[in-house]
Amino acid sequence: DTGFAVQRGARAVETALQNQELSFAAPDQLFSQLGHLLHHAMGGSSGAILGSFFHGLSASLAHHPHDLSQAISMGIQFVTDLG
């Protein structure tokens, strides 16, 4: 199941890139878009976990745009908060 979910997620990202649907203007916006896209394309627990991680990155970078280590920590925290 996870393999198929990852495949759906990768294809959704590929399609979004081909259609120029992703914004590269700001990292927080890009990670938010990726989180939403992966959550919905992958579905299930894999989509929720990966989507939450990217939403955590986005939330952190919106306030601290140059602190990648804090962004990764917040992404992990978002996943941990899922339970």
Side-chain angles (χ1 to χ4, degrees):
D1 286 344
T2 301
F4 290 116
V6 171
Q7 183 180 42
R8 285 191 308 270
R11 285 186 177 153
V13 171
E14 180 181 36
T15 299
L17 286 168
Q18 289 172 348
N19 295 336
Q20 299 179 352
E21 296 172 346
L22 297 175
S23 170
F24 291 91
D28 63 308
Q29 293 174 1
L30 175 62
F31 289 132
S32 178
Q33 290 174 319
L34 288 171
H36 180 76
L37 181 65
L38 292 171
H39 182 230
H40 290 285
M42 293 174 68
S45 59
S46 298
I49 290 169
L50 204 51
S52 292
F53 179 74
F54 278 101
H55 283 300
L57 292 177
S58 173
S60 180
L61 291 172
H63 298 288
H64 307 282
H66 302 290
D67 194 342
L68 186 58
S69 65
Q70 181 174 340
I72 292 170
S73 292
M74 186 169 279
I76 292 168
Q77 186 60 51
F78 271 44
V79 172
T80 301
D81 290 346
L82 289 175

